Amino acid sequence: MYFENTNLENLTADQELIVSIMKKHGLECDGGWDYERMTFDKRFDTREGRYYLRVFAYAISGDVGAHDAILTLMKPALGKYYYPHGVEYGDDEVYPAHLVTKCEEILKKVKLELDQFSIEPTNKNNFEPVNAR
């Protein structure tokens, strides 16, 4: 399940700022990175199963491994974990309403904190910040 209208998609910021804000809200990147991408996860163990809130990001410049990247956020997702296959995001999955609500609250808090730094969405065509200051 992908979260719509979070206003996180296409926000661009320094890697260390994004990592700091995500970690503050329980979203960690424990090994979910390569030199061009990062995945921030928050695990939820409920009676209905194990779920992951995920926020994906990719580097538009710099190197994630060197901690000097500029990252652009992608659409957040909620997926259900199935052993041993992994996480499924399909529309046919059932997501508990209480969990969806909790995830929406977390994403709103992340967005509010990013707003404090005047983070602007990027123009996907040329990776230039829109309304650059």
Side-chain angles (χ1 to χ4, degrees), residues 113-131:
E113 192 152 347
L114 285 170
D115 284 347
Q116 293 177 9
F117 294 96
S118 299
I119 306 302
E120 299 287 342
T122 59
N123 179 337
K124 284 185 167 182
N125 296 328
N126 61 11
F127 297 120
E128 292 288 320
V130 175
N131 300 326

Side-chain angles (χ1 to χ4, degrees), residues 41-75:
D41 290 337
K42 181 168 177 70
R43 184 173 106 179
F44 295 93
D45 289 314
T46 69
R47 65 179 161 227
E48 296 92 354
R50 178 171 290 169
Y51 297 87
Y52 286 90
L53 171 60
R54 291 201 159 152
V55 180
F56 305 99
Y58 64 94
I60 60 170
S61 67
D63 183 331
V64 170
H67 305 282
D68 68 357
I70 302 297
L71 299 176
T72 297
L73 299 178
M74 299 170 68
K75 193 178 291 188

Side-chain angles (χ1 to χ4, degrees), residues 1-6 54 56 74-78 89-91 95:
M1 160 185 179
Y2 287 90
F3 290 92
E4 303 292 336
N5 304 317
T6 63
R54 291 201 159 152
F56 305 99
M74 299 170 68
K75 193 178 291 188
L78 180 61
Y89 307 100
D91 291 332
Y95 300 98

Side-chain angles (χ1 to χ4, degrees), residues 4-104:
E4 303 292 336
N5 304 317
T6 63
N7 296 317
L8 286 172
E9 191 172 358
N10 299 322
L11 289 182
T12 299
D14 179 78
Q15 175 183 351
E16 294 304 310
L17 174 63
I18 290 176
V19 168
S20 173
I21 290 171
M22 293 295 183
K23 189 172 187 172
K24 180 178 177 181
H25 297 285
L27 291 147
E28 304 261 349
C29 184
D30 293 329
W33 66 274
D34 63 21
Y35 296 99
E36 298 173 342
R37 296 178 294 242
M38 293 184 82
T39 302
F40 299 93
D41 290 337
K42 181 168 177 70
R43 184 173 106 179
F44 295 93
D45 289 314
T46 69
R47 65 179 161 227
E48 296 92 354
R50 178 171 290 169
Y51 297 87
Y52 286 90
L53 171 60
R54 291 201 159 152
V55 180
F56 305 99
Y58 64 94
I60 60 170
S61 67
D63 183 331
V64 170
H67 305 282
D68 68 357
I70 302 297
L71 299 176
T72 297
L73 299 178
M74 299 170 68
K75 193 178 291 188
L78 180 61
K80 185 169 183 181
Y81 177 76
Y82 291 97
Y83 177 84
H85 302 290
V87 180
E88 296 290 332
Y89 307 100
D91 291 332
D92 55 339
E93 297 295 331
V94 176
Y95 300 98
H98 66 90
L99 180 59
V100 173
T101 300
K102 177 69 173 167
C103 291
E104 289 171 341

